[in-house]
Amino acid sequence: MTQRQQLVIIGNGMVGHHFAESFRQQAGADAWQVHIVGEEHHSAYDRVHLSEYFQGKGHAELALGTLDGYREAGIEAHLGVKADHIDRQAKTVTLSNGDTLAYDKLVLATGSYPFVPPIPGHEAERCFVYRTLDDLDAIRSAAAEGTTGVVIGGGLLGLEAANALKSLGLHTHVIEFAPRLMPVQLDDDAGQVLRAKIEELGVTVHTQTATQSIDTLDDGRLQLNFAEGDPLTTDVLVFSAGIRPQDALGRDCDLDMGERGGICVNNHCQTSDPDIYAIGEVALWDQKIFGLVAPGYRMAEAAAAHLDGGEAPFLGADMSTKLKLLGVDVGSIGDAHAASSGAISFRYNNEAKGVYKKIVTSADGKRLLGAILVGDNSVYDTLLQYHLNDIELPAEPDSLILPTSDATPALGVDALPDTATICSCLNVTKGDIVGAVDGGCCSVGDVKSETDASTGCGGCAAMLKDVVDATLEARGIEVDHSLCEHFSHTRQELYHLVLVEEIKTFDELIQHHGQGRGCDICKPAVASVLASVWNELVHDEPHVKLQDTNDTFLANMQKDGTYSIVPRIAGGEITPDKLLVIGQVAKDYNLYTKITGGQRIDLFGAQLHQLPDIWQTLIDAGFETGHAYGKSVRTVKSCVGSTWCRYGVQDSVGMAILLENRYKGLRAPHKLKFAVSGCTRECAEAQSKDIGVIATENGWNLYVCGNGGMKPRHADLFATDLDDVTLIKTIDRLLMFYIRTADRLQRTARWMENLEGGLDYLKDVILNDSLGINADLEAQMERVIDTYQCEWKATLEDEEKLKRFRTFVNSPEEDDNVVFVQERDQIRPATDDEKQNLIATA
Amino acid sequence: MTAQLKPDTWTPICTTNDLVPDSGVAAKIDNQQIALFYLPDEHRVYALANKDPFSNANVIARGLTGDLQGKTVVASPLYKQHFSLEDGQCLEDDSVRLDTWPARIEGDHVYISIQ
Ligand code: SRM
Ligand SMILES: Cc1cc2nc3c(=O)[nH]c(=O)nc-3n(C[C@H](O)[C@H](O)[C@H](O)COP(=O)(O)OP(=O)(O)OC[C@H]3O[C@@H](n4cnc5c(N)ncnc54)[C@H](O)[C@@H]3O)c2cc1C
Ligand code: SF4
Ligand code: FES
């Protein structure tokens, strides 16, 4: 066997990780043993969204790679370990834990470090930088008892750090040496507009201010002394004065370096030593460092291809940015400062509204060279496409930024060539998106998962939607929101009509708001709405004709017309006596039994007329309907939890039973599944459920909108460390809000994906009551819970209803077309051939 | 006991009380399974074959009624194809049609006629 070659990656940041992923996809990857060395003890995470750490995301949500993932891919990860030295002769790397790794090829992806100006006193305990999760942990704990925070540096990252301090409840100051904020991306006027907007939000901005020294006061707070003006006292100080390439390793082993740092690379990202590559923020290409993630990713791909003998040269990258800083739109494209020769600029400045827009064009006014936007990014996508694709500007280029009575002349996505990049993070072109639609994707969500577009910074979301919609439209696929030919309303609209006009029956609704008799689409949908609002029994007289066969007969129809029976087994907990009853019923009626994927038992093969007798026996033994037939709460899966398990921190079974009993019978736009795990090992798989609950030392973490099934989705962390009462309140509200606003047959996962504003919006509504409807939602849930009845019990008590459970109205015979054969000691439906044979031999 | 059918005669099947408004029930005559749908606003009963040709299961009577493209229909509960109550024609597949029989309500009784 040939020895595998050794490939060592130093740096497990965004770009190092992306390199590992890209390299794995190369044809020759198997010939290599890959090592990745990272100084941080966390595996690679999404640094671009670092600030979301303060909004409740943990490493798990931000993670790009996991140790398990690396292990599965055969990559050896050395985390929490620093590479100290490279010996280019021996071709080895020495690590801080004393190990030495031999390499055939080496990739440096060590990124950059925040520059801290050597102001006297800058090493004080309450001084921080803003780059890693550890930095954020330190800032958070220092901010805990403080009132004031200062950021030194008013650039892009400085403002982001200021936002973070503000979100921690600190009164925040930003100190910038230059005369304006974001000096690199903005001009003076734009900086002025941005400053006014940010000050409106309560952040104090000091420009043209040089900090001369930092004193630590007796109480541990810091005092900043300036060249001019009064000193400032603060609890927390964050330096954000620019970044410097983390290039010490390269310098020590004498690779070619830039004058002001950075390891020089060619178009394949090779350094002056052809066996060593450098990518990401540590690499200097054409005298430029790219401080953004997208160019780093392109470098990673170029290096990965080259290592495998291929070619995907890196040829520079666009540095345009679009951001929301402290809630203010800021955009900067290309040559924002009109530095190119002959460039002319057009400006629009609206001080009243705090909007500033500038475009820079070529001398002939035909090409867009750059732009600056503050306060309104609506034309960013259009401008960027003009810029990147060299599209000829309209005769009056300023029309692009001037307000008009009509909508701004947007550049229709039709005008873009197929090669136009729509998502620069993931390098997805218009052509890729059109291809995905032609390959069967019918929604933005589908296209996202197919092409990965818009899964990076998210800045391209609006553009992506435009391209997808335009492409669908061009293919003649109309996105019609009517429920069906009988109602030109969406499910949400019907829900509101029912609620507001207090409509209690389908007939009333269709008379006033629809046409015709209805159909198998609108009838069950309206039945579900009526049930969620009024909670009358689904098979009461006015509703019974609306139900799908499963709801009508309170059982699931199988392929041969027989039914299955699923008693509720809340939380998966069942007594031996009840197990015996189920066993006895199955034997008495010759039913096939199976443990379901939802932690309960399904009995198959009952004919219509047998259902009441079977259910009578089950109900007498204390069972209830399991609603396996309804668009309603199915199961709450549980793990065994703290009662038995040595790791459990809460009683997950108890909570699962409580939740299942609380929400059983709740009708919803689609089925609802829950799970409760007793600790973070997550044996109940709660993160794949509509509602997932995971025990913590202090209570429960709530996850929402997960899905298994056809298109799995990991649930989002919604709230942490809730006590029992708050947990239930939160779930009450969330479920009712879902019931009110989701589409027909839309699971919570798809609902969330389509919800404008997404997770943040949902949190705002449910946790902060931003719509002021929470009391209402809770009351409505209370009403549904209070009116719960077991549908099977109610049916068995009503002779009229039982009449329907007859195989034939005019004969006590059974359906002779239902034929079973034996398999593995139980029955199963006979195939057509088997039926023929059985009849022939009878 | 199943009722015996005589050619060209109306055979009583059940009472109106056995029917479910805007919905179906199954009956069996002479080894033939029949789905009966009762539409009270037309005061009318429709009789169709109960066997669903797409699944070969006897389930048509348990489908949802409604109207589609101007026709009064029942949707098969298994795979949701629609059949016209009037003539049994499948809306999704021209080549499929369910047998139908004339049916009427007289007093409390429901009759159908074969041939
Ligand atoms: C019986 C069971 C399979 C089994 O033998 O284990 C089952 C059986 C059916 N599933 Fe399921 N699913 C069963 C667990 C699951 C699970 C696992 C779970 O719940 O943990 C999933 C994935 C989790 C999820 O839903 O997120 C699952 C995802 C589906 C889906 C896809 C839903 C989606 O959002 O993509 C469908 C189709 C649908 O609902 O539109 C479906 C539909 C069905 C239907 C209703 C199909 C049908 O119309 O006949 C089956 C009904 C059979 C019956 O008569 O009960 N079943 N199904 C399981 C019943 C669990 C229970 O106790 O109630
Ligand atoms: C708050 C914030 C917001 C940002 N927002 C955006 C944005 O909106 N858009 C955008 O495009 N970019 C943004 N960026 C920049 C983006 O995060 C970087 O461009 C990207 O992370 C660079 O990736 P990298 O792998 O080169 O460096 P890094 O992600 O910094 O990774 C380098 C890794 O190497 C490790 N390392 C260094 N030296 C050694 C050694 N000797 N041994 C072992 N390990 C070592 C480091 O610990 C680090 O984990 C933002 C950055 C921050 C901090
Ligand atoms: S996976 Fe498919 S076949 Fe299996 S139970 Fe679910 S729906 Fe039926
Ligand atoms: S441009 Fe960043 S995700 Fe598409």
Side-chain angles (χ1 to χ4, degrees):
Chain A
M1 219 183 86
T2 50
Q3 183 73 34
R4 288 209 287 174
Q5 305 203 72
Q6 303 294 310
L7 171 59
V8 176
I9 307 165
I10 303 181
N12 185 219
M14 298 189 75
V15 175
H17 173 78
H18 190 76
F19 173 85
E21 295 265 283
S22 311
F23 187 71
R24 259 177 59 198
Q25 283 158 23
Q26 305 296 325
D30 287 346
W32 294 82
Q33 171 61 51
V34 179
H35 295 264
I36 191 157
V37 183
E39 187 179 359
E40 293 183 66
H41 58 269
H42 290 111
S43 59
Y45 53 87
D46 183 355
R47 207 178 299 288
V48 170
H49 292 107
L50 189 66
S51 297
E52 291 177 16
Y53 193 57
F54 282 154
Q55 291 147 31
K57 289 211 175 160
H59 172 253
E61 277 90 13
L62 293 174
L64 300 170
T66 61
L67 274 177
D68 285 344
Y70 285 139
R71 201 171 303 128
E72 268 162 38
I75 297 174
E76 256 190 66
H78 311 257
L79 298 190
V81 178
K82 186 170 181 234
D84 281 335
H85 178 68
I86 298 170
D87 183 336
R88 287 168 51 197
Q89 262 65 52
K91 296 185 88 169
T92 57
V93 181
T94 321
L95 307 185
S96 60
N97 62 1
D99 288 353
T100 302
L101 295 175
Y103 69 81
D104 294 292
K105 300 278 179 188
L106 181 64
V107 177
L108 299 176
T110 48
S112 45
Y113 64 90
F115 169 65
V116 177
I119 302 168
H122 70 267
E123 277 159 334
E125 210 174 290
R126 301 211 188 173
C127 293
F128 303 97
V129 294
Y130 198 79
R131 177 90 194 168
T132 65
L133 289 175
D134 289 347
D135 293 337
L136 268 60
D137 281 334
I139 293 172
R140 174 153 42 194
S141 56
E145 53 248 37
T147 55
T148 311
V150 170
V151 178
I152 292 191
L156 210 142
L157 288 180
L159 294 178
E160 184 146 343
N163 193 29
L165 294 186
K166 199 169 160 277
S167 76
L168 292 173
L170 300 182
H171 182 72
T172 305
H173 298 257
V174 173
I175 296 173
E176 170 59 51
F177 180 70
R180 60 168 183 269
L181 293 173
M182 292 182 65
V184 182
Q185 293 88 353
L186 303 184
D187 60 17
D188 277 334
D189 287 340
Q192 196 49 48
V193 173
L194 180 61
R195 175 188 183 135
K197 287 227 144 192
I198 286 178
E199 289 193 321
E200 242 169 66
L201 299 167
V203 173
T204 315
V205 178
H206 313 252
T207 49
Q208 266 176 306
T209 302
T211 313
Q212 286 196 319
S213 64
I214 302 160
D215 298 332
T216 303
L217 304 177
D218 292 342
D219 59 359
R221 303 179 81 201
L222 303 173
Q223 176 176 307
L224 277 64
N225 304 307
F226 306 113
E228 277 168 47
D230 295 339
L232 186 63
T233 311
T234 183
D235 299 283
V236 179
L237 174 60
V238 177
F239 285 105
S240 182
I243 53 170
R244 298 286 182 274
Q246 185 124 27
D247 54 11
L249 282 173
R251 195 182 302 276
D252 290 347
C253 66
D254 287 329
L255 295 175
D256 284 356
M257 306 290 290
E259 266 171 41
R260 276 171 296 158
I263 303 173
C264 301
V265 296
N266 63 17
N267 291 355
H268 306 301
C269 295
Q270 269 173 315
T271 66
S272 52
D273 178 339
D275 289 332
I276 304 182
Y277 294 76
I279 54 178
E281 286 186 348
V282 74
L284 184 75
W285 178 88
D286 191 25
Q287 297 302 315
K288 287 191 278 266
I289 297 268
F290 295 89
L292 292 175
V293 70
Y297 281 2
R298 295 298 86 69
M299 289 183 181
E301 288 152 19
H306 191 254
L307 245 159
D308 193 45
E311 214 167 307
F314 177 77
L315 299 172
D318 183 64
M319 294 289 283
S320 304
T321 29
K322 167 167 100 170
L323 299 154
K324 228 187 183 63
L325 290 169
L326 290 142
V328 182
D329 280 336
V330 179
S332 168
I333 293 176
D335 179 11
H337 295 296
S340 324
S341 73
I344 41 178
S345 36
F346 303 76
R347 291 190 193 84
Y348 169 75
N349 193 351
N350 181 336
E351 286 179 7
K353 287 200 178 133
V355 172
Y356 176 81
K357 301 179 191 178
K358 164 168 129 179
I359 53 173
V360 177
T361 72
S362 54
D364 59 5
K366 292 204 163 130
R367 307 281 163 216
L368 187 74
L369 303 179
I372 295 178
L373 302 168
V374 176
D376 175 7
N377 255 342
S378 54
V379 290
Y380 177 90
D381 289 338
T382 304
L383 295 180
L384 183 64
Q385 294 301 336
Y386 273 110
H387 172 62
L388 293 180
N389 298 299
D390 230 9
I391 297 170
E392 187 169 328
L393 288 167
E396 309 276 356
D398 45 352
S399 64
L400 289 170
I401 53 171
L402 290 178
T404 50
S405 41
D406 311 313
T408 322
L411 178 64
V413 287
D414 290 343
L416 298 178
D418 270 357
T419 52
T421 300
I422 302 301
C423 171
S424 51
C425 288
L426 280 303
N427 209 11
V428 182
T429 62
K430 179 182 165 191
D432 296 334
I433 295 167
V434 172
V437 170
D438 285 339
C441 295
C442 301
S443 66
V444 172
D446 290 352
V447 172
K448 259 171 110 166
S449 49
E450 177 69 26
T451 63
D452 282 345
S454 201
T455 57
C457 71
C460 58
M463 193 75 179
L464 174 67
K465 183 172 187 308
D466 286 349
V467 176
V468 172
D469 286 355
T471 312
L472 283 173
E473 215 162 275
R475 305 286 177 285
I477 300 167
E478 199 182 324
V479 194
D480 179 6
H481 299 290
S482 306
L483 191 58
C484 63
E485 65 176 59
H486 305 101
F487 290 98
S488 59
H489 302 79
T490 62
R491 180 188 173 280
Q492 296 93 302
E493 288 162 352
L494 291 179
Y495 186 100
H496 281 111
L497 290 172
V498 164
L499 192 70
V500 172
E501 299 181 14
E502 298 199 14
I503 293 175
K504 298 258 166 99
T505 64
F506 178 83
D507 291 348
E508 230 179 305
L509 186 69
I510 201 163
Q511 232 166 51
H512 294 304
H513 300 287
Q515 57 195 35
R517 292 177 189 281
C519 65
D520 53 312
I521 307 271
C522 58
K523 282 180 170 181
V526 169
S528 153
V529 168
L530 292 169
S532 315
V533 178
W534 310 119
N535 208 26
E536 292 175 0
L537 285 171
V538 292
H539 45 88
D540 275 354
E541 214 293 297
H543 312 310
V544 67
K545 63 179 182 187
L546 310 176
Q547 315 294 343
D548 250 327
T549 185
N550 289 357
D551 278 287
T552 310
F553 300 108
L554 307 169
N556 292 49
M557 183 185 276
Q558 305 298 316
K559 60 199 281 188
D560 59 351
T562 63
Y563 289 92
S564 74
I565 292 149
V566 191
R568 189 165 293 290
I569 299 180
E573 184 183 84
I574 185 163
T575 60
D577 279 340
K578 282 191 166 172
L579 275 175
L580 286 170
V581 171
I582 291 188
Q584 197 57 52
V585 167
K587 268 183 107 159
D588 290 350
Y589 291 89
N590 191 26
L591 303 173
Y592 167 80
T593 56
K594 178 178 182 302
I595 310 281
T596 72
Q599 279 187 343
R600 48 190 187 174
I601 301 171
D602 205 342
L603 309 171
F604 293 84
Q607 288 200 32
L608 191 54
H609 59 272
Q610 296 178 308
L611 291 174
D613 292 345
I614 294 173
W615 271 106
Q616 189 66 62
T617 317
L618 290 170
I619 281 174
D620 289 344
F623 284 102
E624 287 184 323
T625 179
H627 293 101
Y629 43 81
K631 299 293 174 237
S632 57
V633 173
R634 293 288 168 86
T635 62
V636 182
K637 264 176 81 169
S638 76
C639 73
V640 62
S642 60
T643 320
W644 291 90
C645 174
R646 62 187 162 144
Y647 293 123
V649 291
Q650 307 282 352
D651 175 12
S652 49
V653 178
M655 179 51 79
I657 293 172
L658 190 144
L659 291 175
E660 186 156 345
N661 283 330
R662 180 170 183 82
Y663 300 113
K664 64 189 176 193
L666 176 69
R667 288 296 204 279
H670 207 313
K671 59 192 171 193
L672 287 164
K673 298 182 178 182
F674 295 43
V676 184
S677 280
C679 83
T680 172
R681 285 168 193 75
E682 245 282 71
C683 300
E685 301 171 304
Q687 288 167 95
S688 67
K689 300 297 179 203
D690 299 275
I691 300 288
V693 177
I694 302 178
T696 68
E697 297 280 350
N698 309 317
W700 309 96
N701 282 354
L702 173 62
Y703 289 79
V704 302
C705 303
N707 204 158
M710 290 173 261
K711 195 164 162 240
R713 176 177 196 274
H714 274 286
D716 291 305
L717 179 60
F718 196 70
T720 54
D721 289 336
L722 303 175
D723 58 46
D724 291 9
V725 173
T726 318
L727 174 71
I728 285 165
K729 249 187 192 221
T730 313
I731 299 175
D732 276 3
R733 295 171 183 175
L734 189 111
L735 289 181
M736 257 311 154
F737 191 58
Y738 162 66
I739 288 171
R740 281 197 182 179
T741 58
D743 254 329
R744 165 184 169 269
L745 295 186
Q746 187 177 44
R747 291 284 295 268
T748 57
R750 306 290 93 79
W751 171 64
M752 162 75 93
E753 283 163 5
N754 288 294
L755 199 63
E756 213 157 306
L759 181 63
D760 291 338
Y761 170 72
L762 196 59
K763 280 187 180 169
D764 225 25
V765 173
I766 304 299
L767 302 176
N768 308 330
D769 202 8
S770 62
L771 299 181
I773 55 171
N774 280 348
D776 209 23
L777 295 175
E778 284 173 34
Q780 199 184 344
M781 184 61 87
E782 217 44 65
R783 181 163 63 223
V784 172
I785 290 164
D786 289 348
T787 50
Y788 170 79
Q789 311 172 50
C790 169
E791 292 157 353
W792 261 112
K793 189 153 183 284
T795 303
L796 292 170
E797 286 161 0
D798 186 336
E799 277 307 318
E800 233 354 78
K801 283 174 180 160
L802 283 175
K803 247 180 34 192
R804 294 216 66 187
F805 292 87
R806 289 184 287 178
T807 296
F808 302 114
V809 285
N810 63 339
S811 153
E813 283 177 50
E814 305 200 341
D815 181 355
D816 56 14
N817 186 44
V818 170
V819 183
F820 299 120
V821 293
Q822 292 283 317
E823 187 172 272
R824 296 187 295 275
D825 300 328
Q826 298 202 66
I827 58 156
R828 69 156 168 81
T831 62
D832 284 344
D833 283 351
E834 285 166 344
K835 277 189 202 171
Q836 295 302 325
N837 288 338
L838 285 171
I839 292 165
T841 55
Chain B
M1 254 241 357
T2 48
Q4 285 292 302
L5 267 187
K6 289 181 218 104
D8 290 329
T9 55
W10 290 99
T11 311
I13 299 205
C14 59
T15 66
T16 48
N17 196 33
D18 292 318
L19 300 173
V20 185
D22 291 313
S23 192
V25 296
K28 191 173 179 185
I29 300 164
D30 236 8
N31 266 335
Q32 173 67 52
Q33 289 198 23
I34 294 174
L36 296 172
F37 295 95
Y38 173 44
L39 300 191
D41 59 344
E42 299 178 3
H43 196 58
R44 198 174 153 188
V45 175
Y46 293 92
L48 289 85
N50 194 31
K51 180 168 263 181
D52 169 16
F54 294 94
S55 61
N56 283 328
N58 292 313
V59 295
I60 293 295
R62 289 174 261 164
L64 263 175
T65 62
D67 60 0
L68 261 193
Q69 299 154 28
K71 291 196 167 112
T72 309
V73 296
V74 56
S76 162
L78 275 170
Y79 304 116
K80 316 290 174 191
Q81 293 86 358
H82 299 90
F83 301 93
S84 159
L85 292 185
E86 199 68 58
D87 57 10
Q89 180 59 49
C90 172
L91 268 54
E92 283 80 12
D93 185 341
D94 284 348
S95 67
V96 176
R97 211 178 62 79
L98 299 181
D99 285 341
T100 55
W101 297 272
R104 65 186 170 98
I105 303 174
E106 224 173 80
D108 287 345
H109 286 269
V110 179
Y111 301 83
I112 76 166
S113 149
I114 290 185
Q115 254 94 77

